Amino acid sequence: MPDLTLTKVAKSFGVNVVLHDLDLRVRDGELFTLLGPSGCGKSTTLWSIAGLHSPDRGTITFGDRVVFDGGRIDVAPERRNCGVVFQSYAVWPHLSVHDNVAYPLKLRKEKRSARAARVREVLELVELDRLEHRYPHELSGGQQQRVALARALAHPPDLLLLDEPFSNLDAKLRERAREWLRALQQRIGVTTVFVTHDQHEALSMSDRIMVMDQGRVRQIGTPEEIYQEPADVFVADFVGTVNVLAGRAVPGADGTARVWLDGLGLPLVVPTGAGLDGGAGIDGYVRLTVRPERIVVHPPSGAPADAVNVVTVKVRSRAFLGDHYRYVADLGERELVVRTLSPVDHGSELTVELPPDAIRIFGPA
Ligand code: ADP
Ligand code: MG
């Protein structure tokens, strides 16, 4: 199906403005994820696409086909041809796997023989073909989820809409389900809008991610762009872990600034990018972000002579997480989260380097 486009879609519930003139475009065949904290408007967006909510304003088009336009056009959900899967699987408990999947085809009055063939086909697709006579209570959560997915795919949808479909699965199963769904989506090439509040899920599955906050778009980009080039501190902080350090910047002439953090005797050297335009309009106050895994831990003997932004920090707490250690250390009057493979004792000092290219600079809060 051609692109899905939302233009200036707005929605309020009473006085609560849930979507503020939302614009987005999902490309044909793409897996596009709506990511954001609980309550930011992800489900409302998805439901508006499916036709289960009517926005107050705006336009929604599937290719050339306008399915919503202000009060003038509002195509009924069953005529939008979207396959929808919710967090609660919503499979019918009194119907077998086969009958659950056949149901939408029956509604569309498809012939019995064609129906049987299609049910077999989609059950094979979701790897449930040997369980077609079972009832939902005889299935695991993951299997029920796949029944819901098979039902959504039974009549080939133009758009697949998935609202937190894995949140009821345990961690291990969820990881497998992601890989499996991503492979399936690529194989059948169906344009998919996926809703989650889980950054790992979003990063691992998506072609592109839209980060939302309070009904507004913060950033749209590939997983790498979102993680490595966050548009603002909210995105940096919501996607992955980040140290946010406030300080006062003094712009230099060489494309860098010196940023003085409270209680730290030396300034950090930071390349000035977006957000600090020679200090103009920022009044010197800035926020720096640096990812814990980008911080370099040096041996007690010290850092190489050419290293910049080398500071000694005192370890306040540590956690062993199997594949790495996570330290919280004091950096001046602030704390710094460091992620490294090397074990260091609680209370000891760490010589760390904050490489300039690992630091991003933003305006004040
Ligand atoms: P998300 O899916 O990102 O968690 P939702 O889109 O479900 O967020 O909800 C966004 C906001 O809209 C929340 O503040 C929620 O309480 C409110 N909301 C959602 N649905 C309704 C409804 N049917 N009536 C009133 N308020 C609603
Ligand atoms: Mg939701």
Side-chain angles (χ1 to χ4, degrees):
M1 122 151 180
D3 298 1
L4 158 72
T5 312
L6 274 67
T7 312
K8 296 210 178 311
V9 169
K11 175 79 179 166
S12 300
F13 291 108
V15 294
N16 186 10
V17 182
V18 174
L19 300 179
H20 296 265
D21 292 342
L22 208 70
D23 288 325
L24 71 92
R25 169 168 291 206
V26 180
R27 300 176 194 134
D28 184 22
E30 194 172 40
L31 196 157
F32 188 90
T33 296
L34 312 182
L35 173 67
S38 180
C40 73
K42 305 180 294 294
S43 294
T44 304
T45 306
L46 201 76
W47 284 46
S48 300
I49 297 168
L52 301 168
H53 276 327
S54 295
D56 303 328
R57 294 191 303 278
T59 312
I60 302 175
T61 58
F62 295 0
D64 297 336
R65 186 174 172 226
V66 180
V67 296
F68 183 86
D69 187 6
R72 291 179 295 280
I73 299 171
D74 195 357
V75 174
E78 64 275 14
R79 303 198 48 226
R80 294 193 185 191
N81 200 27
C82 297
V84 187
V85 179
F86 301 105
Q87 174 178 358
S88 58
Y89 318 131
V91 293
W92 290 293
H94 61 289
L95 295 183
S96 68
V97 168
H98 177 282
D99 291 350
N100 260 286
V101 177
Y103 190 82
L105 301 174
K106 236 172 168 171
L107 273 187
R108 289 167 187 270
K109 304 202 186 336
E110 294 207 7
K111 285 210 184 76
R112 183 179 292 267
S113 58
R115 214 156 70 199
R118 180 60 187 163
V119 170
R120 209 170 311 122
E121 198 174 63
V122 283
L123 285 178
E124 268 173 32
L125 202 60
V126 303
E127 297 164 30
L128 284 178
D129 41 315
R130 291 200 304 215
L131 303 180
E132 62 176 317
H133 299 299
R134 292 222 190 149
Y135 283 80
H137 73 272
E138 300 170 308
L139 301 174
S140 70
Q143 289 167 335
Q144 290 185 37
Q145 191 55 264
R146 282 189 272 149
V147 175
L149 184 63
R151 191 179 55 190
L153 294 171
H155 182 270
D158 291 330
L159 256 183
L160 183 60
L161 306 176
L162 307 172
D163 195 347
E164 313 242 8
F166 304 140
S167 46
N168 289 334
L169 306 181
D170 63 50
K172 202 78 192 172
L173 212 56
R174 202 154 62 211
E175 219 165 281
R176 285 232 306 275
R178 283 174 201 162
E179 288 165 17
W180 178 87
L181 178 70
R182 177 58 169 156
L184 175 72
Q185 189 269 340
Q186 286 184 325
R187 188 142 42 97
I188 60 181
V190 63
T191 306
T192 301
V193 183
F194 185 91
V195 162
T196 184
H197 65 275
D198 180 326
Q199 40 153 325
H200 297 295
E201 205 157 276
L203 289 172
S204 66
M205 293 181 58
S206 316
D207 290 307
R208 286 189 305 148
I209 297 170
M210 174 168 108
V211 181
M212 293 178 71
D213 176 37
Q214 296 182 30
R216 288 194 165 87
V217 179
R218 290 286 191 152
Q219 189 173 7
I220 297 178
T222 64
E224 287 88 347
E225 285 164 355
I226 297 284
Y227 190 83
Q228 290 159 4
E229 308 288 335
D232 55 33
V233 174
F234 176 87
V235 173
D237 194 35
F238 190 75
V239 183
T241 304
V242 76
N243 292 290
V244 182
L245 306 167
R248 250 194 108 88
V250 182
D254 52 352
T256 65
R258 310 277 175 278
V259 178
W260 296 86
L261 307 180
D262 296 342
L264 196 68
L266 80 176
L268 296 179
V269 177
V270 180
T272 54
L276 187 78
D277 187 11
I282 293 235
D283 193 33
Y285 288 102
V286 296
R287 284 173 300 166
L288 306 179
T289 63
V290 56
R291 301 270 185 209
E293 75 273 15
R294 295 292 307 276
I295 296 172
V296 182
V297 177
H298 289 291
S301 54
D306 59 348
V308 284
N309 297 339
V310 175
V311 289
T312 302
V313 295
K314 195 173 170 111
V315 174
R316 181 129 46 87
S317 69
R318 80 168 197 178
F320 176 57
L321 291 153
D323 58 350
H324 69 273
Y325 290 90
R326 180 181 190 273
Y327 299 104
V328 179
D330 290 323
L331 175 70
E333 292 167 11
R334 309 175 185 281
E335 55 179 42
L336 188 71
V337 177
V338 180
R339 188 189 157 129
T340 168
L341 300 177
S342 7
V344 180
D345 286 336
H346 177 264
S348 63
E349 301 211 309
L350 272 183
T351 303
V352 298
E353 176 189 347
L354 283 63
D357 70 347
I359 301 175
R360 304 193 61 76
I361 190 163
F362 297 98

